[in-house]
Amino acid sequence: ANSYSQISPCDIIWDQPILLSDTTYPEAFRPHIAISGDDIVHITWQGGGKRFAYARSTDGGTTFVQGDLLGDSVNVPYAAWPAILAKDSMVYAFLAPPGYAGGRIRIRKSTNAGATWGSFMAVDSALAVWSPTCMGDTICLAMDPPPDQPVQPVDILRSTDAGETWSRAHQNINGDGEYCHLALTRGGVLHTVVQDMTSFEALY
């Protein structure tokens, strides 16, 4: 996983990449990035098949401190899907370690911009998670339920209390979850766009 930062706004001029993954766990899959304010950068990825890796910068991406959100004692399959979401001092990290039946989504929350983290919660089962978004205390993310779930192919996992409790919204979204993206307005309106894998058209 590499991190790039711009020298100045709106310029396509980039600093040299910073190598985030290390030689002990050289493989890095599906990196995700989120920003708290102007200076705190959060990056997660699946590392080495066992780690839910995390890197944090408090100087706008100049330097990073690495860590684990899920330690080596817990196996993270190579097909795991990490995601991260930041809003002011709140940061939410998500991991869906799937199998053919789907694994439980693990969610961890920080209330101080990633300096410390609460315990993991295990919520609804899913094959994958995508596109977390939030507005105030409401958080939504797209999830691809496991094949044995009655609603297919994409659902919404939702919290209205800043991640303390979660429920699956029962509105089914047609299309393929891997290409599902969400946006949430201040008024609580959720917008979605997906790719229909039958017609290969964009659906809103």
Side-chain angles (χ1 to χ4, degrees):
N2 290 327
S3 170
Y4 299 84
S5 60
Q6 286 182 276
I7 294 175
S8 60
C10 301
D11 292 336
I12 309 300
I13 301 172
W14 298 92
D15 295 338
Q16 291 298 312
I18 300 170
L19 181 64
L20 298 179
S21 50
D22 55 41
T23 56
T24 304
Y25 301 97
E27 297 172 319
F29 299 100
R30 300 186 175 112
H32 279 239
I33 190 169
I35 308 293
S36 295
D38 293 327
D39 296 323
I40 302 179
V41 183
H42 312 271
I43 299 176
T44 60
W45 67 93
Q46 177 204 336
K50 292 185 176 181
R51 301 171 67 227
F52 185 16
Y54 172 67
R56 179 174 181 261
S57 172
T58 58
D59 53 16
T62 301
T63 59
F64 283 87
V65 175
Q66 296 185 38
D68 279 331
L69 289 174
L70 187 64
D72 295 328
S73 61
V74 180
N75 184 46
V76 180
Y78 279 104
W81 289 89
I84 196 160
L85 171 67
K87 183 69 174 180
D88 300 322
S89 62
M90 304 294 290
V91 187
Y92 305 89
F94 308 89
L95 182 73
Y100 288 107
R104 302 286 286 178
I105 300 171
R106 296 171 183 265
I107 300 172
R108 202 169 186 185
K109 180 173 72 172
S110 171
T111 60
N112 54 11
T116 59
W117 294 83
S119 300
F120 264 106
M121 296 181 291
V123 295
D124 210 334
S125 296
L127 288 172
V129 295
W130 295 278
S131 187
T133 185
C134 70
M135 185 61 66
D137 289 340
T138 299
I139 309 162
C140 296
L141 63 93
M143 57 177 284
D144 191 0
D148 61 347
Q149 297 292 321
V151 179
Q152 292 289 332
V154 187
D155 262 336
I156 300 296
L157 193 65
R158 179 179 62 182
S159 173
T160 57
D161 54 10
E164 292 300 314
T165 59
W166 294 82
S167 62
R168 190 200 305 183
H170 297 296
Q171 298 89 343
N172 185 40
I173 300 174
N174 293 318
D176 188 289
E178 187 170 355
Y179 305 102
C180 181
H181 291 272
L182 309 178
L184 188 63
T185 71
R186 293 183 184 274
V189 178
L190 183 66
H191 299 263
T192 68
V193 62
V194 297
Q195 177 181 324
D196 188 306
M197 293 303 289
T198 302
S199 65
F200 296 98
E201 300 292 346
L203 302 178
Y204 170 80

